[in-house]
Amino acid sequence: PPPTTTVPPAAVTATPAPPQAAATAAAATEITIAAVGDLMFARDVTDLMTERGVDYPFARVHALFAGADLIVGNLEGTFTDRGTPLEKLYTFRTPPALASTLRVAGFDAVTLANNHMYDFGEEGLADTLAASRAERVAAFGAGLDEPSARAPAIVQARGLRIALLGYNDISEVRLADGAGPGVARADELLIAHDVAAAANAADFVVVFVHWGIEYSHEPTERQRALARAAVEAGAGAVIGSHPHVLQPWERMHEAAVLYSLGNFVFDLDPGDLVTLGAGPFQSVVALITLRRDGPPTVEWRPVTIDQFENRPRPATEAEASEIFTLLGDGDR
């Protein structure tokens, strides 16, 4: 079985509670979130969903979400048929009708705070927000003005409220400013302010940040500074994306900081394996259990993006071994 980071068991009362009461108590004090990396449904993935159904990207990994109360990922692209593409190397969009892939896979929320959420301007962003609402998937980290971009998505599960915040630290995107649309800007002071406010409205706060250097397996000092701002303000977990490869995780003041979860759904083929190596194909489902009475635990379920199928599948034993090495044990 995949390794799990552990913490000492919480103290129990001298008189054991009945099984049903104990289960209720556990449900009121902890929650498990399944987090994944980049979800890019454009280009070849759009064609595959159109030909084979919206469940195609996730059909081989449904079992890896078992035990999660919530599923969250980074939506690396827009759901839109409108807008003018920005002048940049890559722009991603998928027909809004295919947004149901998120609901079918069981996603509860997605962060929009990344450098592709404004690829097709305000129209593309507005359509993506509308498509997410239509599928009852909470979207956060971007909005039609700065307050909505920075506002948390507060989702509920097992009687607990979890505040999800998203921020972008990468260029080639419009940052929300005042009444203008865009994505939430990654800034230490803004993050600290927003996390502290969210902590008063929810049981747990989880922060997603788009940051770092593409194809680098090592987090930067900038990533650590932003993570520290979130953790010291009260975040129980910080989850990163953008490098397109896995990066080690660490325990920071007991919170879990997952610097990069790599790609999860991305149209990678044998040619990419030759030019980019195995890194962009290596991924995980990270199960983060947040607890009122102790540090969070992290369980890794290794994944490989199949080069011939353009979708994730459970990693083989050899692939998993390499993935666990990249992730480390959390002690840095």
Side-chain angles (χ1 to χ4, degrees):
T4 305
T5 60
T6 58
V7 295
V12 295
T13 56
T15 304
Q20 184 173 359
T24 301
T29 60
E30 66 180 55
I31 191 166
T32 299
I33 299 173
V36 300
D38 295 348
L39 303 169
M40 201 286 287
F41 300 111
R43 302 187 307 199
D44 291 348
V45 182
T46 291
D47 295 339
L48 287 165
M49 286 193 290
T50 301
E51 295 169 4
R52 307 187 189 187
V54 294
D55 188 45
Y56 180 83
F58 301 101
R60 300 187 65 182
V61 291
H62 286 304
L64 300 184
F65 296 127
D69 301 301
L70 297 169
I71 305 175
V72 189
N74 171 54
L75 181 58
E76 186 89 342
T78 57
F79 286 117
T80 186
D81 291 316
R82 304 188 301 153
T84 301
L86 295 184
E87 293 185 5
K88 55 192 295 191
L89 186 58
Y90 299 111
T91 55
F92 299 145
R93 69 173 166 186
T94 303
L98 298 180
S100 58
T101 187
L102 293 171
R103 174 179 48 79
V104 171
F107 278 81
D108 298 281
V110 288
T111 174
L112 308 185
N114 58 62
N115 60 315
H116 287 286
M117 195 42 60
Y118 213 74
D119 280 359
F120 291 86
E122 184 174 352
E123 290 177 316
L125 171 57
D127 288 349
T128 304
L129 290 166
S132 300
R133 284 195 300 270
E135 298 302 332
R136 298 183 180 180
V137 176
F140 59 97
L144 299 182
D145 55 32
E146 184 179 4
S148 59
R150 289 173 53 192
I154 297 183
V155 295
Q156 298 190 49
R158 301 177 70 184
L160 295 168
R161 291 163 60 85
I162 300 86
L164 305 172
L165 290 159
Y167 302 91
N168 174 67
D169 198 43
I170 304 300
S171 61
E172 294 189 324
V173 69
R174 190 186 195 284
L175 299 174
D177 182 15
V183 301
R185 175 167 58 96
D187 173 89
E188 292 173 58
L189 294 179
L190 293 180
I191 290 174
H193 175 275
D194 295 348
V195 169
N200 288 325
D203 298 288
F204 301 106
V205 180
V206 180
V207 176
F208 290 74
V209 192
H210 210 64
W211 56 11
I213 300 171
E214 287 186 324
Y215 305 113
S216 171
H217 287 286
E218 287 300 321
T220 64
E221 287 307 311
R222 170 69 173 171
Q223 287 174 264
R224 289 193 173 90
L226 292 170
R228 191 174 301 109
V231 168
E232 292 180 351
V238 180
I239 301 168
S241 56
H242 180 66
H244 297 295
V245 295
L246 296 171
Q247 292 183 342
W249 80 286
E250 71 174 288
R251 183 82 65 185
M252 182 181 288
H253 301 306
E254 295 195 337
V257 180
L258 286 55
Y259 284 107
S260 176
L261 297 184
N263 298 317
F264 195 75
V265 173
F266 223 95
D267 59 344
L268 299 171
D269 58 30
D272 294 311
L273 187 60
V274 173
T275 59
L276 299 175
F281 294 80
Q282 296 167 321
S283 189
V284 288
V285 175
L287 264 68
I288 306 157
T289 299
L290 300 169
R291 293 183 167 86
R292 287 183 183 275
D293 55 0
T297 60
V298 183
E299 176 188 339
W300 303 106
R301 296 179 177 176
V303 168
T304 295
I305 296 177
D306 191 287
Q307 60 180 308
F308 300 109
E309 297 185 4
N310 278 338
R311 62 179 175 179
R313 59 165 172 77
T316 66
E317 185 175 346
E319 291 166 343
S321 179
E322 292 184 10
I323 288 169
F324 288 134
T325 298
L326 289 170
L327 295 168
D329 60 8
D331 295 322
R332 296 181 61 85

